[in-house]
Amino acid sequence: MDAAVSVGGVRVQGFPSRIGRRYRRDMINRPRRGVLYMPATNAKAIAKARALPCDVVILDLEDAVAPDAKAAGREAALAAVREGGFGGRELVVRVNAIDGPWGMDDCRALAMVKPDAVLVPKVDDARGVGAYRDALGDLPIWVMVETMRAVLGIGELAGAERLAALVVGTNDLAKEMRARPGPDRAPFQGFLANTVAAARANGLAAIDGVYNAIDDVDGFAAECAQGLAFGFDGKTLIHPSQITTCNSVFSPTADEIAWAQTVVAAFDAPEAADKGVIRIEGKMVERLHLDQARQVLAIAAAL
């Protein structure tokens, strides 16, 4: 059992230091704010990642590794998983496409060393997830949402067995759409919302896409805020300099935590035991808001 943690005197269930070997759907409240991609071939970057304040490290075997370095990248990723040392960070490995020359070998090797999850690319539907699932054994699967077929069938895709998270691949989607997204990401807004809805309907984490302009701090902060408004749990990152801003945006504020504590305490009072709606500080609050409050406190406890 995971230890309970007190947040402002309110007891909430805590989290283990590592997520372990199996995805649990009740871990949806686990923080996944900053999700940092690292090339699997960059040993110095991987060593640094063990001390960075991101919630998730993704060792990338796909886009970040040149074709002639694929085998070396796989061995480096396997060594990093075996060595561990990532603390409370989830360790995820993004594999190559399973129908290509490297993906099957990636999956079979990772099934032996068991990272926290495997991120799979270029999946169109649940059948595509099944191909990875057969090769990965019991490992949890994260899926890149980066094709038009995935976007159009996101509800069916999100219902695939043993998924843990949906990760938006905005660069690939822009390429397929021939879109030119501006700061408001107007061409993407419909399927960003649909991706979050599909994730929530199936108890999955929802992770927003990357922001390419590393030096544009204000633009990055604005896109993080937009992702939060859509309901994403966090955002994929391409540089460690983006972690602090991302974590700040996707963390509960002091006011949100205080309100959540108030809501939980009010519903825990004996006089509220049989009530579905109560009045708190002049507001009518339902039990659905109690669920939201507990989620906020669970995240706060984990942080």
Side-chain angles (χ1 to χ4, degrees):
M1 295 292 291
D2 303 334
V5 179
S6 178
V7 180
V10 177
R11 299 285 285 178
V12 296
Q13 198 65 25
F15 295 86
S17 60
R18 277 180 70 77
I19 197 170
R21 300 307 184 214
R22 297 175 183 169
Y23 172 67
R24 288 167 26 192
R25 287 183 180 263
D26 63 347
M27 294 291 281
I28 190 64
N29 293 337
R30 181 186 178 95
R32 293 182 176 99
R33 301 164 301 168
V35 179
L36 180 65
Y37 286 114
M38 284 284 185
T41 50
N42 192 331
K44 290 184 178 180
I46 293 172
K48 183 179 179 180
R50 290 181 168 93
L52 292 174
C54 53
D55 294 327
V56 183
V57 174
I58 298 178
L59 303 183
D60 191 11
L61 298 176
E62 193 207 16
D63 290 343
V65 178
D68 61 357
K70 293 293 188 182
R74 183 189 308 124
E75 291 305 314
L78 296 175
V81 175
R82 291 190 189 101
E83 183 179 350
F86 290 87
R89 300 162 194 81
E90 283 183 272
L91 181 59
V92 180
V93 181
R94 180 163 72 170
V95 296
N96 291 283
I98 202 167
D99 57 356
W102 309 287
M104 182 60 75
D105 288 340
D106 291 344
C107 292
R108 287 173 174 168
L110 290 168
M112 300 298 292
V113 299
K114 297 188 181 301
D116 291 318
V118 171
L119 175 59
V120 303
K122 306 297 187 293
V123 172
D124 291 334
D125 50 33
R127 180 182 299 178
V129 177
Y132 288 97
R133 189 169 58 241
D134 292 342
L136 289 169
D138 64 351
L139 284 175
I141 297 173
W142 293 24
V143 166
M144 294 295 304
V145 180
E146 56 185 352
T147 71
M148 291 296 95
R149 289 183 180 275
V151 166
L152 293 174
I154 191 65
E156 186 261 352
L157 172 61
E161 183 182 350
R162 220 169 63 240
L163 285 194
L166 301 178
V167 181
V168 179
T170 42
N171 287 336
D172 286 273
L173 290 172
K175 177 183 176 181
E176 283 208 13
M177 290 176 67
R178 303 176 192 170
R180 300 177 183 179
D184 62 355
R185 296 195 290 180
F188 295 165
Q189 289 184 15
F191 64 69
L192 291 175
N194 285 344
T195 298
V196 174
R200 299 297 173 245
N202 291 278
L204 311 179
I207 310 298
D208 199 1
V210 299
Y211 189 80
N212 298 314
I214 297 172
D215 295 331
D216 183 3
V217 177
D218 292 339
F220 175 67
E223 192 165 291
C224 286
Q226 184 194 47
L228 178 69
F230 272 112
F232 283 102
D233 297 291
K235 191 168 183 65
T236 42
L237 311 176
I238 57 175
H239 195 273
S241 64
Q242 298 176 321
I243 296 173
T244 299
T245 297
C246 184
N247 283 354
S248 176
V249 171
F250 284 97
S251 295
T253 66
D255 287 345
E256 288 170 341
I257 293 170
W259 174 248
Q261 292 167 350
T262 299
V263 170
V264 171
F267 274 103
D268 282 347
E271 59 270 23
D274 60 347
K275 294 182 179 179
V277 181
I278 59 176
R279 181 169 178 168
I280 305 174
E281 297 181 2
K283 300 177 181 179
M284 299 306 297
V285 180
E286 302 177 48
R287 287 197 173 269
L288 66 90
H289 299 115
L290 174 61
D291 293 339
Q292 294 172 336
R294 286 175 172 156
Q295 180 187 37
V296 169
L297 295 183
I299 294 292
L303 298 178

